[in-house]
């Protein structure tokens, strides 16, 4: 069923791009889906201006929703990518997620373009926190999560572009490919004559450009693909 994809992966220089769909099977709600975070809280909850004006409301949200991320366990899709990296086929992961699950799975070269919700720091003095009891630092500055709010630039973009130039194949897993700059990555890989593989439960606007498309539950897909690399 996945023999053609297996051959592409074994050629090496595979780069993964992961979105919220890879972590929903770990119990983490996505942003845009039914009963997702935007539907329940509105887009403004991730707006930097809202955070600055109402830090107490944002931290009420953090205590309810981020706690799910901290308790979540990586699933077989995260472990699959860690396995491919260990075998030398995967050169890295660019993730739109802030849940830290790729690192929990054992992946090493993870580019978190939207940050990581497990890290906090003071905007004024830079002091780092694991999870603050209060949202004000001793210096009087506001403690914020190390994530990208609306209105802020994404992180590590230069490194992400360097990996895209190096890659022969872009493996898109669980991303709707609606948010830029990540939504531009499939076209960049095609401009470089690379392979584009999309695995997502729903169709995306880039399916027509892809070499291979699998509309499957990611856990089911990963269970099948994992078998090809289990014994190596």
């Amino acid at each position: 069923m996945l023999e053609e994809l297996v051959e592409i992966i074994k050629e090496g220089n595979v780069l993964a791009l992961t979105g919220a769909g890879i972590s929903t099977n770990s119990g983490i709600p996505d942003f845009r889906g039914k009963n997702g975070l935007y539907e329940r809280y509105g887009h403004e909850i991730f707006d930097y201006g809202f955070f600055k004006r109402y830090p107490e409301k944002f931290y009420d949200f953090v205590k309810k929703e981020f706690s799910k991320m901290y308790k979540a366990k990586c699933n077989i899709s995260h472990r699959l990518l860690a396995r491919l990296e260990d075998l030398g086929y995967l050169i890295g992961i660019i993730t739109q997620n802030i849940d830290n699950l790729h690192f929990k799975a054992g992946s090493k070269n993870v580019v978190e373009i939207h940050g990581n919700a497990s890290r906090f720091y003071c905007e004024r003095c830079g002091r780092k926190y694991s999870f603050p009891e209060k949202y004000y630092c001793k210096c009087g500055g506001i403690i914020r999560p190390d994530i990208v709010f609306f209105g802020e630039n994404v992180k590590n973009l230069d490194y992400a572009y360097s990996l895209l130039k190096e890659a022969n194949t872009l493996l898109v897993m669980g991303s709707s490919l609606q948010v830029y700059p990540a939504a531009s990555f499939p076209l960049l890989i095609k401009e470089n004559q690379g392979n584009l593989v999309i695995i997502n439960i729903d169709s995306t606007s880039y399916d027509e450009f892809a070499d291979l498309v699998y509309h499957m539950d990611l856990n089911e897909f990963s269970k099948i693909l994992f078998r090809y690399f289990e014994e190596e």
Side-chain angles (χ1 to χ4, degrees), residues 91-213:
I91 60 173
I93 301 168
I94 301 173
T95 186
Q96 298 170 274
N97 299 338
I98 59 175
D99 53 36
N100 201 45
L101 291 183
H102 285 301
F103 284 116
K104 284 185 178 180
S107 292
K108 301 174 183 67
N109 193 22
V110 182
V111 186
E112 298 172 311
I113 60 174
H114 292 161
N116 188 313
S118 299
R119 300 188 297 258
F120 293 78
Y121 66 92
C122 172
E123 287 193 321
R124 179 182 292 177
C125 71
R127 182 175 179 176
K128 296 179 181 179
Y129 292 83
S130 53
F131 188 88
E133 294 297 322
K134 301 177 181 179
Y135 50 83
Y136 281 104
C137 180
K138 292 179 180 179
C139 75
I142 295 179
I143 300 169
R144 60 165 290 166
D146 190 12
I147 63 172
V148 175
F149 286 97
F150 289 130
E152 295 185 310
N153 294 325
V154 299
K155 299 172 178 286
N156 308 309
L157 192 55
D158 287 344
Y159 185 46
Y161 283 139
S162 71
L163 287 175
L164 282 160
K165 288 181 180 178
E166 183 182 348
N168 294 332
T169 297
L170 181 64
L171 194 66
V172 180
M173 298 180 69
S175 175
S176 60
L177 296 173
Q178 295 181 38
V179 179
Y180 285 84
S184 68
F185 295 169
L187 293 183
L188 291 175
I189 203 75
K190 295 308 294 180
E191 286 175 4
N192 293 336
Q193 308 301 313
N195 302 302
L196 175 61
V197 181
I198 297 176
I199 309 100
N200 199 50
I201 194 73
D202 298 314
S203 60
T204 78
S205 57
Y206 290 90
D207 286 3
E208 62 182 298
F209 303 106
D211 298 274
L212 296 171
V213 178

